[in-house]
Amino acid sequence: MAGLSEGNNLDPWYGHYAARTTGLSASEVRALFAVASRPEVVSLAGGMPFVSALPTELVTSAIDRLMRERGPVALQYGSGQGAPELREQILDVMALEGIRGSVDDVVVTTGSQHALELIAKLFLDPGDVVLAEGPSYVTALVVFRSFQAEVSHVPMDEHGLIPAALRERIAALKAAGKRLKLLYTVPTFNNPAGVTLSWERRLELLEIARENDILVLEDNPYGLLYFDGPPPHAMRSVEKDGVVYLGTFSKTLAPGFRVGWALAPHAIREKLILANEAAVLSPSSFTQLVISEYLSSADWRAQIDTFRGVYRERRDAMLSALAEYLPKLSWTIPNGGFYVWLNLPEQVDAKSMLPRAVKQLVAYTPGTAFYADGNGRNNIRLSFCYPTPEFIREGIRRLSSVITGELELLDTFSQTGPLTRITAERNVTSPPPNLG
Amino acid sequence: MAGLSEGNNLDPWYGHYAARTTGLSASEVRALFAVASRPEVVSLAGGMPFVSALPTELVTSAIDRLMRERGPVALQYGSGQGAPELREQILDVMALEGIRGSVDDVVVTTGSQHALELIAKLFLDPGDVVLAEGPSYVTALVVFRSFQAEVSHVPMDEHGLIPAALRERIAALKAAGKRLKLLYTVPTFNNPAGVTLSWERRLELLEIARENDILVLEDNPYGLLYFDGPPPHAMRSVEKDGVVYLGTFSKTLAPGFRVGWALAPHAIREKLILANEAAVLSPSSFTQLVISEYLSSADWRAQIDTFRGVYRERRDAMLSALAEYLPKLSWTIPNGGFYVWLNLPEQVDAKSMLPRAVKQLVAYTPGTAFYADGNGRNNIRLSFCYPTPEFIREGIRRLSSVITGELELLDTFSQTGPLTRITAERNVTSPPPNLG
C-alpha cells in the first residue's frame, strides 16, 4: 500500500488534504487487477457473487409491480433509517441466524460497507485501536485506517479467532495506554480465511468484549451461504447491547443494488441514522423497494438454496483441484462463503509472485492485503465464487505451475544471483484451453 | 440543534464515541416534521421534487431494456468511479451549463450529498474553516460540522454572495490564524435563499479563491431548472483546477436512485475514488445503468422542460399568494429552483412559531436551520417544489394567519406577561378545504 498524500508536485492541492488521507491508499496490485480482468485470465482474486444464478425474471417482475403500485414512492427521497417495510423483512432474514431484533433498531445502508464506514466515523478517533482477526477483510482495514485508527490483529486457527490470544492482546494494549474501541470480526466463513468461529468461542469473545467494554462489530455477509449444514447462530443472537451486527443483500440477492444494514443497540442506531442522513440523505428508495417487493413475492429462501448449490460445487472443485495440483501445500476448508486461504512455501512471496501469475493467466489476492501489519507474505486468498468449476480447476492448475516456477526461480536465484526478466518469464503458458 | 453525544445514562456506549460526533446533531424540528407529513398539513418545508411529473413508463422501459441486455452487469459490483457510459453522458448534461470536462474526472456518487461527505472527509481537519453563503444548505452544514470544521457565513444579497464581504472575512480569518480550506457555494437558485450569483461575481469569487488558495466547492442541483431563461454558466466552466463541481440526477430525474457526481481536478478525483470505494465499494450499478439507459433512449431534455414548467407554475403561485396574503413582508424572487426566502417581522421568531403553524396545518423550515451561527431567526424557507399551486396558495393563506396570530400573541405577551397554552392555540383553524 502506498500513501497517496505524499508529495506530488502535479497536485496544486497538496498540503490541503486532511491528516486522515494519509491512511487512504491505493492498492499496489490495482493496476495488475485491471489486467487480470481480461477474459483469458482465470481470476481467483475478486469477491464478485455469481449473480447469473439469479433469474432476471424475479427482479423484473418485482420492479414492474413496484412501479405500477408505488412508482412515486420508489422515485422519491426516503427515510434516513430506511424503508419500514424492508426493515421488517430484514428481521425475517436475520431470524434465520437466530437473531431477534426490533424494526426500530435496523438501519438500512448503501451496502453493509457503508454501515462499516458510518460506525467507524461514529467511534474512531485518531490513535484508537480496532481489534480484528488476522487476516481480516481488506476494505474494513481501509476504512479503519481512513479514520486514523490502528488495527491490531489477533491470530485465528481453524475454529476462528483465538480467545486466549485476544485476552493477551487486550492486556498488552491496555498496558500500553491504548484506547480499545471495537472488535471487528467476520465470524462465519471468514473473509479471507474461510474459517468459522465456533459457538463456544462466540460466547467467550462476547464475554471478553463485555469485560473490557469493547463494542463488537459482527460483519456477516456470508452466513446464509453454508454448504455442510448451518453455522452457529450469530453473536448478536445472544448479546444485544454489545454488538452492532452488519448484514447485506449483496451475496443472497445482488450487490448492484447496494443495500445492506446494521442492527445496532438503541442509542447507537440513533447516531447511525444521523450519520447516514449526513452522508447520503437516505439510502436509495428505489433499490430498497425493489428488494422489498422481491422478498414479499419471490421464494427468496429457495433462491439462497440455489446460490448455496452453486458455491458448494465451486468450493468442491477448488478443494479437489488443490488436492490434485498442490498436494504439498495446506489450505483452509470453508463450510460456506467464498474463500479458501492457502499457505505457500515459506520462501515464496505471494505479492512478488503475482505479476508472474497474471502472466500465466491466473490471478489471486496476496495475503498481505488482509493485514494492516505486513503479515500474510506467504499466503494467498483464493475465491471460488465467480469462476465456473472448470475454470477454477484450470486456475489452480495454472497456479500450481506458477508456484513450481517460483520455487525453481528461487532455486536459480540462490545459485546465480539476481533474477533476470528472461528467467521470470520462462513459464508462460500457451493460450488457455476453451473452458467456456 | 442539540448535540447527541451529551451524557445519556441509557447509553452504555456513552464515552466511546469519536470526538466528531459532538458535531452530529438531530434537528429540534425533526419531531415536528413527522407531524407535518400528515396529508392535511400543507408542507412548504421539504425539498422533495415532484417526481409524479416523470412518466413512469420512461423508467420502466429503460429498466426492461437494461435487464434484457445487461442484467448481470446491472446486478454486479461496479467501478468505484462509476459506470463509464454514465460518466460520458454526465458530460453531456454538464455541457448545458458550459462545462467541458474529461470523463476521467467524473466520479459518480450516492447522490451529490455523498460527494459532499467525501470531499469533507478528504479535506477537513478539526478546526478548519469552510466559507459558505449565509444562509446555506442545511445538510452541507451538518457534514462540515461532522468533520469538526467551522463554518463561516458570508452575507448575500439579491445577486448572491458579496465578494467584498468574502475578502473581508478571509482577511479576518487569516489574521486569526485560521486554516481556510473550502468555499462552499450553491451559486444558482440558492438553497435556501433562492437567489443566483451574477456572472461578474462568479469571476470575482474564483479570483478571490485563487488568490487565497481556497478550493471552491460548487454545488449545483438546480441549475437546469430555470424559469425565466438560463442562469449564468457554472463557475466550473471557467476554472478547472480550483473547483470541485457537484451535480445530481435527483432534481432532473428522481432522487430515489441516489445518483449524483463530482467533477474534480485530476489529483483530487484520484483520492475521491479511493474514499468512495472505502465508503461504499462502488455506487449502485443498477441505478447508474437505469439512468444511463434513460438518458440514451428518452428525450431527457424535454423531461427537464416539463419539470421547469411544473416548478415555474408553482413559483408563480407562491409569489402571487405572498403578494396577496403577506403584502407587508419581503421575500426573494427565484428565477429557478425550489425555494423562496421570506423575511418575517423582526419580533417574530420563526422557530418558536413553527409549532403553532403546524397546528394551523402549514409547515416551513425556520431560517436558523441554514446558519451555523444562530442567525436566521426572522427568516423562513418556503419550498414550492412539491405541493400543487392550489395547496401552495392555501399554505401561504394559513401562514399569513399564523404570522398575524403571532403578532397578536406578541402584542398580548408584551401587555400581559407569559404566554398561556390557551393563548397559543386560539388560532386553530377549522379542517382544511379539500384542495386535492
Side-chain angles (χ1 to χ4, degrees), chain A residues 411-419:
Chain A
D411 198 43
T412 306
F413 174 73
S414 66
Q415 289 162 21
T416 67
L419 303 182

Side-chain angles (χ1 to χ4, degrees), chain A residues 83-90 108 249 259 288 291-292 295:
Chain A
E85 57 270 53
L86 180 63
R87 289 189 281 118
E88 282 284 0
Q89 293 164 310
I90 284 171
V108 180
F249 290 105
V259 178
Q288 284 183 82
I291 292 179
S292 181
L295 292 172

Side-chain angles (χ1 to χ4, degrees), chain B residues 237-250:
Chain B
S237 70
V238 285
E239 165 71 51
K240 185 181 163 187
D241 291 333
V243 177
V244 174
Y245 174 94
L246 308 185
T248 180
F249 290 105
S250 290

Side-chain angles (χ1 to χ4, degrees), chain B residues 32-45:
Chain B
L32 213 58
F33 283 154
V35 178
S37 69
R38 294 192 328 239
E40 64 271 27
V41 176
V42 173
S43 178
L44 307 172

Side-chain angles (χ1 to χ4, degrees), chain A residues 11-278:
Chain A
D11 181 1
W13 299 104
Y14 172 67
H16 280 61
Y17 298 106
R20 71 180 68 82
T21 61
T22 53
L24 194 71
S25 55
S27 165
E28 286 169 22
V29 295
R30 176 189 280 247
L32 215 56
F33 283 154
V35 177
S37 69
R38 295 194 325 240
E40 65 271 26
V41 177
V42 173
S43 177
L44 307 172
M48 293 198 302
F50 188 67
V51 291
S52 299
L54 174 71
T56 306
E57 158 62 17
L58 293 181
V59 174
T60 49
S61 66
I63 293 172
D64 285 348
R65 210 168 34 254
L66 173 64
M67 289 305 288
R68 218 167 38 238
E69 294 168 10
R70 294 189 289 168
V73 178
L75 296 173
Q76 193 54 269
Y77 289 110
S79 138
Q81 184 170 9
E85 57 270 53
L86 180 63
R87 289 189 281 118
E88 282 284 0
Q89 293 164 310
I90 284 171
L91 295 182
D92 296 338
V93 175
M94 291 191 295
L96 297 179
E97 302 195 71
I99 297 172
R100 296 180 56 200
S102 158
V103 69
D104 290 340
D105 295 335
V106 177
V107 180
V108 180
T109 53
T110 305
S112 58
Q113 184 67 36
H114 200 221
L116 254 178
E117 164 96 359
L118 296 174
I119 290 290
K121 187 180 177 187
L122 286 179
F123 282 95
L124 300 179
D125 282 314
D128 284 355
V129 173
V130 178
L131 295 153
E133 285 126 353
S136 186
Y137 168 49
V138 53
T139 318
L141 302 181
V142 172
V143 167
F144 301 142
R145 256 200 312 267
S146 82
F147 288 101
Q148 297 165 272
E150 295 168 17
V151 174
S152 182
H153 290 289
V154 180
M156 316 167 77
D157 62 20
E158 71 271 31
H159 306 295
L161 192 146
I162 301 166
L166 179 62
R167 282 191 200 277
E168 266 175 50
R169 182 63 53 80
I170 290 173
L173 289 164
K174 283 194 164 176
K178 295 289 187 183
R179 290 188 309 271
L180 309 184
K181 287 282 182 75
L182 301 173
L183 168 59
Y184 172 73
T185 174
V186 184
T188 306
F189 316 135
N190 179 273
N191 176 7
V195 302
T196 294
L197 188 68
S198 69
W199 180 244
E200 294 69 25
R201 286 192 181 179
R202 287 175 195 233
L203 299 178
E204 200 173 344
L205 254 50
L206 287 169
E207 195 185 306
I208 296 171
R210 249 191 321 266
E211 283 167 8
N212 291 282
D213 217 18
I214 297 170
L215 181 65
V216 175
L217 190 47
E218 180 180 26
D219 190 2
N220 187 29
Y222 309 105
L224 295 176
L225 298 177
Y226 51 83
F227 311 145
D228 312 308
H233 274 175
M235 295 168 79
R236 174 57 180 76
S237 70
V238 286
E239 165 71 51
K240 186 181 163 187
D241 291 334
V243 177
V244 174
Y245 174 93
L246 308 186
T248 181
F249 290 105
S250 290
K251 276 77 186 184
T252 53
L253 181 58
F257 295 127
R258 308 310 299 122
V259 178
W261 68 89
L263 176 67
H266 208 72
I268 295 175
R269 68 90 175 156
E270 275 299 339
K271 291 185 175 56
L272 199 50
I273 295 167
L274 292 173
N276 205 16
E277 289 175 351

Side-chain angles (χ1 to χ4, degrees), chain A residues 30 75 121 146 256 277 284, chain B residues 18 30 75 121 146 256 277 284:
Chain A
R30 176 189 280 247
L75 296 173
K121 187 180 177 187
S146 82
E277 289 175 351
S284 167
Chain B
R30 176 190 279 248
L75 296 173
K121 187 179 177 188
S146 82
E277 288 175 352
S284 167

